[in-house]
Amino acid sequence: MESKTARLTVLVDPVKKKAFEELCSSQDLTPSQVIRQLMRDYMKRFGVDYSTQSNIVSKNAARKKA
């Protein structure tokens, strides 16, 4: 897990939030764990390297500059 954290506030429909929390709980996961994994998967899908601050550039953005 990352050593530092930052807060991300997301507005969602209360019914979806409750269903999501219940699903996470049924899998013995916290909503935060699931959201972090979704973010990692999404960034990987689009080629975003987030290992260092200076590398936060997607492959698509790098191609557009070329």
Side-chain angles (χ1 to χ4, degrees), residues 1-38:
M1 187 170 160
E2 295 84 7
S3 59
K4 294 184 180 183
T5 60
R7 184 172 307 272
L8 174 67
T9 302
V10 180
L11 300 177
V12 296
D13 176 89
V15 175
K16 289 180 185 132
K17 178 182 180 282
K18 182 166 177 48
F20 179 68
E21 290 171 335
E22 289 176 2
L23 175 59
C24 292
S25 180
S26 74
Q27 297 176 332
D28 199 26
L29 296 167
T30 66
S32 291
Q33 289 172 313
V34 175
I35 295 297
R36 285 191 296 267
Q37 185 62 53
L38 288 168

Side-chain angles (χ1 to χ4, degrees), residues 57-66:
V57 176
S58 73
K59 290 178 183 174
N60 289 336
R63 286 185 198 137
K64 288 179 183 177
K65 289 181 183 177

Side-chain angles (χ1 to χ4, degrees), residues 33-54:
Q33 289 172 313
V34 175
I35 295 297
R36 285 191 296 267
Q37 185 62 53
L38 288 168
M39 289 174 69
R40 285 189 296 270
D41 293 346
Y42 189 74
M43 287 184 283
K44 182 178 179 180
R45 177 179 165 193
F46 288 96
V48 174
D49 177 3
Y50 58 91
S51 60
T52 64
Q53 183 69 24
S54 62

